[in-house]
Amino acid sequence: MQIVVAQKAGACFGVGRALELARRVAAEATGPVHTLGPLIHNPAVVDSLAKSGVTAVEQPEDATPGATLLMRAHGVTPEVEARAAEAGLTCVDATCPYVKKVHVTVERMAREGYVVVVVGEKGHPEVEGTCGHAPEAVVVGSAEELVLVPKAKKIGVVAQTTLERRVLREVVSGLIGRCEELRVVDTICEATSERQQAAAELASKADVMLVIGGRGSANTRHLADVCSGRCERTHHVEDASEIEQVWLADAELVGITAGASTPADQIEAVCARVRDLSA
Ligand code: SF4
């Protein structure tokens, strides 16, 4: 049996960086360490962080006084940062630099008089964080929602980093002709689409596909959908212990992929388990 890991799989740059920061802060901090919400959608990682003393709080006010508070890769609003500072917490910013770029872009657009349109999912933490940097911004999930955008001379558009580029194209083409000046900054991060493309290629050759990642992770579920469409024997697992021998029966090629919040050690554990079960 051949075991192949997709060319692009697992933790993206922003998540890897946030995890590294969390581990470093946990090792160096003298007091309690919290993350604002779970650091990533991966229960095994959240458990292992909790064992090293890093626990999640929902609001800055819920943190232990004097604690260190780690901001997640998705980013937060300036208002949340201000509340954390007011609560006397030491903030460590693990916001992904690509998300930071979106914050800086919308701030500049708002300052320069553009009506800011954020193309993305309403209520998603990243989108909420972005809107905090341009409070008048309008969030649209698709071209159908363009009725929400007020009439304006200048419109500036950015996207949630994980947006499908097709949606951005549709929204932008719907905006053409609705204003004198349309400025579009394509803030989509390639990490998600690269993982989907690599998974699709592998799934179309594999007899069995294993997709690793938290069940609460939207990007992992999406990867599992992409694989299921090409390989009937696709299984979404959170960790190696869930894999059953019967899944691997008669398989010549087992493909493995993982969501953007799955660290490398979990991918290695799945490879090892497949090797053991097929020995
Ligand atoms: S998906 Fe892209 S933008 Fe989001 S955390 Fe990962 S690297 Fe950063």
Side-chain angles (χ1 to χ4, degrees):
M1 179 194 292
Q2 210 190 342
I3 303 166
V4 178
V5 178
Q7 278 200 336
K8 295 275 180 185
C12 62
F13 159 71
V15 166
R17 182 176 169 275
L19 271 174
E20 214 181 284
L21 257 173
R23 290 188 178 127
R24 201 164 67 223
V25 169
E28 289 170 5
T30 47
V33 180
H34 300 294
T35 57
L36 198 60
L39 188 67
I40 55 174
H41 289 132
N42 186 305
V45 172
V46 171
D47 283 354
S48 102
L49 282 173
K51 280 187 194 123
S52 59
V54 182
T55 53
V57 292
E58 281 312 309
Q59 303 292 335
E61 292 76 14
D62 300 335
T64 317
T68 301
L69 185 66
L70 203 80
M71 307 300 189
R72 294 182 294 175
H74 284 323
V76 295
T77 62
E79 188 243 336
V80 167
E81 280 172 347
R83 277 167 48 204
E86 210 167 295
L89 306 172
T90 304
C91 292
V92 177
D93 190 1
T95 306
C96 173
Y98 300 142
V99 176
K100 279 265 181 214
K101 182 186 152 193
V102 189
H103 294 174
V104 173
T105 305
V106 295
E107 277 171 9
R108 196 172 52 229
M109 284 173 168
R111 227 179 15 249
E112 293 174 3
Y114 289 83
V115 164
V116 178
V117 174
V118 179
V119 190
E121 188 189 327
K122 244 181 230 109
H124 187 284
E126 182 195 312
V127 172
E128 288 193 341
T130 297
C131 290
H133 289 262
E136 307 293 323
V138 185
V139 180
V140 298
S142 67
E144 284 73 52
E145 289 180 11
L146 281 176
V147 283
L148 301 171
V149 180
K151 278 206 173 332
K153 275 190 174 173
K154 300 191 333 179
I155 295 181
V157 182
V158 295
Q160 183 177 342
T161 56
T162 48
L163 189 80
E164 255 185 85
R165 196 163 268 112
R166 171 189 61 80
V167 180
L168 179 62
R169 270 193 210 106
E170 287 170 6
V171 168
V172 170
S173 73
L175 283 170
I176 292 171
R178 290 183 51 147
C179 54
E180 283 175 20
E181 188 186 332
L182 180 61
R183 181 156 162 211
V184 181
V185 180
D186 182 347
T187 48
I188 294 173
C189 162
E190 300 301 333
T192 308
S193 58
E194 281 174 355
R195 273 155 189 71
Q196 285 169 7
Q197 209 177 324
E201 272 169 33
L202 185 55
S204 55
K205 297 185 278 193
D207 301 303
V208 174
M209 268 311 281
L210 301 174
V211 184
I212 319 158
R215 294 201 168 79
S217 153
N219 84 78
T220 309
R221 286 202 307 267
H222 198 127
L223 266 186
D225 288 344
V226 166
C227 294
S228 307
R230 290 160 178 86
C231 174
E232 271 184 20
R233 293 165 68 186
T234 292
H235 301 273
H236 177 173
V237 295
E238 273 190 357
D239 72 81
S241 66
E242 293 172 29
I243 300 166
E244 295 174 29
Q245 195 159 28
V246 65
W247 296 354
L248 309 173
D250 303 323
E252 284 178 16
L253 173 58
V254 175
I256 294 173
T257 186
S261 47
T262 306
D265 57 350
Q266 289 182 9
I267 301 178
E268 280 153 27
V270 164
C271 292
R273 168 103 173 140
V274 173
R275 271 195 299 274
D276 284 353
L277 291 175
S278 59

